[in-house]
Amino acid sequence: MDNEKKSKARRNYEPDFKAEILKMLISGKKVSEISETFGIAENLLYRWKTLSTMKTKTKTNESEGSSKLVAENAKLRAENERLKTD
């Protein structure tokens, strides 16, 4: 029985809590300070920060792509109307 591995229960954090921690990280507070204060592993804080930046980059790329499609669609509609009248 002593050789059995004890599994640690995974802690779940609320999205609002994560957002507050990310604000602290972005504002320049040290990861080590946040880790000690809230009892969260430093590597987890770095992971949250990385995932957050990846999500914002994806959202930015999607919005840029959709605005290009809207502009192209408008251009093609105008050209289509011009061709119909000719």
Side-chain angles (χ1 to χ4, degrees):
M1 280 199 150
D2 291 330
N3 293 337
E4 290 181 26
K5 292 183 180 180
K6 293 183 180 180
S7 63
K8 289 185 178 180
R10 226 175 213 192
R11 290 172 50 181
N12 291 323
Y13 299 96
E14 295 292 321
D16 294 338
F17 177 74
K18 286 182 182 181
E20 288 299 318
I21 297 295
L22 286 170
K23 285 179 188 176
M24 289 180 197
L25 289 170
I26 292 169
S27 70
K29 197 162 187 179
K30 292 183 179 181
V31 174
S32 58
E33 290 177 12
I34 297 172
S35 174
E36 289 176 19
T37 303
F38 294 100
I40 303 171
E42 288 184 25
N43 63 339
L44 182 58
L45 296 175
Y46 285 116
R47 188 177 321 138
W48 288 355
K49 188 175 181 182
T50 302
L51 290 173
S52 173
T53 56
M54 288 173 58
K55 285 180 184 177
T56 55
K57 286 181 182 178
T58 302
K59 287 181 184 177
T60 303
N61 290 340
E62 287 176 0
S63 65
E64 288 174 0
S66 64
S67 63
K68 287 179 183 178
L69 289 175
V70 169
E72 183 180 3
N73 193 13
K75 179 182 167 186
L76 291 173
R77 285 179 188 268
E79 183 180 353
N80 191 21
E81 285 298 316
R82 185 184 56 83
L83 290 172
K84 282 181 183 178
T85 56
D86 290 345

